[in-house]
Amino acid sequence: PSQSAFGEAFTIAATASDNARVSAVRIFVDGNNVITCPTGTCGYSASNLAAGNHVFYVTATDASGNTVQTDVRSFYISPSAAQTAPIQKTTSGPSAQPLSIQGTTATLNCGQALVSGTTYVLNSDISSAGDCITINADVHDVVIQGVLDSGNNPIYKVSSTGGIAIRLVPQAWGHPKNIVIKNLKIDAVSGGVVLSGGPFGNPPWPLTGESIMIYNNTFLNGGVNIGPYNKDITVNGNKILSGGISLSNLAALDNATVINNEILDGTMWVEKFDNAVVKDNKVTAISPVYELLHLAFLSNALIQGNSFLVRGIQQPDSVQQYFVELDNVNNSIFDSNIIENYNEAPEGKKITVEAF
């Protein structure tokens, strides 16, 4: 589906074929395997998903154990009237249709040229002095994934000692699209997952990134930095030990989803999106910060169930300091968020910032 209302049931349907036999088709919603079918035809009836942006994809396995995966598709659930949400029921996701399994698999290595329609699997630690993985503007429908242990934690690491771990590089003539980065350990002080480049020419600018999902990764150093003109961005279930999440546009575009992430020492920045969901994140700042949370120029946003904790010392040279800044956030819901400042106030007492 491309859109649905909260509580409405809809079906995700998939078909797969093989020259011998399809042994399993699996449908994943928001990274979770919601159904496994033993034949080449599979359907999942979904309802009561949370309001906001969601993603799904399908894998198919043949009798020999070979597995392929579709591209990731997005859809939007608008809140019910009971949620008193003025959020518009809009999306840029695709229309509902059966999926055809396609693509190939390959082993991931630093410096290799990525090919559209391929799933790259990390089977060992890889490292580079410069950028390790580059996703160029002509690369579409690519999955980069690692292997998980029994606790659902990434095992292998993508690292860079002097560059970016995974860099997405747009051009004036094209941009990375339908990219999934999941189940990796990522270690790069200069940046974990970074989309850099642009804007190109004069407004209205061409896109620099589209339909990018960053899911269930552990960032040892470096976080997520996506800009400057992108849409349909999902950052879900990541753990960031040192770094942060920054999704920033020069003009408002559709659909940013930031849910279930834990930042142990860093900040969060979401700016210039229509239909934004910032939900169930926990962000702690231990190092000096200027802004722990920056939400600006958002419309139709659901900001719910987040916890923001300041445990570090303020930047001493900051002229104007905001631990949490909300600037031009319109037509939106704020619900059950907690913001706390554990710094020592001038009078020597701990202060708590009022929750919104």
Side-chain angles (χ1 to χ4, degrees):
S2 62
Q3 59 185 29
S4 181
F6 178 83
E8 290 182 352
F10 57 89
T11 299
I12 299 172
T15 58
S17 61
D18 185 73
N19 59 0
R21 180 175 64 87
V22 175
S23 62
V25 173
R26 295 177 175 86
I27 297 176
F28 293 78
V29 176
D30 295 335
N32 299 311
N33 183 192
V34 293
I35 190 170
T36 300
C37 302
T39 66
T41 302
C42 196
Y44 174 69
S45 180
S47 63
N48 294 323
L49 290 173
N53 296 296
H54 298 270
V55 294
F56 71 94
Y57 62 91
V58 180
T59 66
T61 303
D62 66 13
S64 299
N66 301 308
T67 298
V68 293
Q69 178 178 307
T70 66
D71 60 329
V72 176
R73 300 184 177 225
S74 62
F75 60 95
Y76 182 76
I77 301 294
S78 64
S80 66
Q83 293 173 291
T84 63
I87 298 176
Q88 303 297 315
K89 191 165 74 173
T90 59
T91 184
S92 58
S95 59
Q97 56 182 309
L99 301 178
S100 297
I101 304 298
Q102 55 186 343
T104 58
T105 59
T107 300
L108 184 68
N109 294 291
C110 286
Q112 71 189 109
L114 303 188
V115 178
S116 295
T118 303
T119 294
Y120 291 91
V121 180
L122 183 66
N123 293 316
S124 63
D125 291 344
I126 59 175
S127 182
S128 174
D131 294 350
C132 182
I133 304 298
T134 300
I135 304 174
N136 289 316
D138 58 349
V139 175
H140 297 172
D141 306 310
V142 159
V143 177
I144 298 174
Q145 68 180 45
V147 178
L148 300 175
D149 63 18
S150 59
N152 203 39
N153 301 304
I155 298 175
Y156 299 120
K157 182 169 62 176
V158 177
S159 62
S160 171
T161 56
I164 307 297
I166 301 175
R167 188 192 294 270
L168 297 93
V169 183
Q171 302 289 343
W173 47 263
H175 57 272
K177 180 179 178 180
N178 293 334
I179 306 296
V180 179
I181 300 168
K182 65 177 185 177
N183 303 339
L184 306 173
K185 282 185 180 178
I186 296 173
D187 188 2
V189 175
S190 298
V193 176
V194 175
L195 190 155
S196 60
F200 303 101
N202 299 313
W205 300 290
L207 288 171
T208 57
E210 182 179 4
S211 297
I212 298 168
M213 182 180 186
I214 303 167
Y215 173 75
N216 195 43
N217 302 285
T218 297
F219 292 81
L220 306 177
N221 280 291
V224 177
N225 190 340
I226 304 294
Y229 204 60
N230 52 81
K231 69 176 185 177
D232 298 331
I233 309 299
T234 299
V235 184
N236 180 359
N238 300 280
K239 185 174 184 179
I240 301 176
L241 278 64
S242 178
I245 296 172
S246 176
L247 310 181
S248 183
N249 274 323
L250 294 175
L253 290 174
D254 285 338
N255 302 335
T257 303
V258 184
I259 56 176
N260 294 319
N261 299 284
E262 182 179 11
I263 301 176
L264 299 183
D265 187 15
T267 61
M268 180 176 291
W269 184 298
V270 182
E271 182 175 43
K272 294 185 179 176
F273 281 96
D274 292 330
N275 301 325
V277 177
V278 180
K279 188 173 185 294
D280 298 330
N281 301 284
K282 183 176 181 180
V283 183
T284 301
I286 298 174
S287 302
V289 296
Y290 173 70
E291 289 179 339
L292 176 66
L293 172 68
H294 177 96
L295 303 176
F297 299 96
L298 303 178
S299 61
N300 307 327
L302 175 65
I303 303 168
Q304 183 181 62
N306 302 285
S307 175
F308 303 102
L309 307 175
V310 179
R311 297 185 180 275
I313 302 173
Q314 299 178 172
Q315 295 280 18
D317 56 350
S318 297
V319 176
Q320 191 175 24
Q321 176 104 32
Y322 303 98
F323 287 120
V324 174
E325 181 178 13
L326 307 178
D327 183 8
N328 286 285
V329 179
N330 303 307
N331 199 34
S332 300
I333 294 175
F334 302 85
D335 180 43
S336 304
N337 299 281
I338 298 174
I339 308 169
E340 293 182 321
N341 176 10
Y342 282 88
N343 287 314
E344 294 296 324
E347 66 274 20
K349 297 180 180 178
K350 293 182 178 180
I351 60 175
T352 299
V353 182
E354 182 179 359
F356 60 85

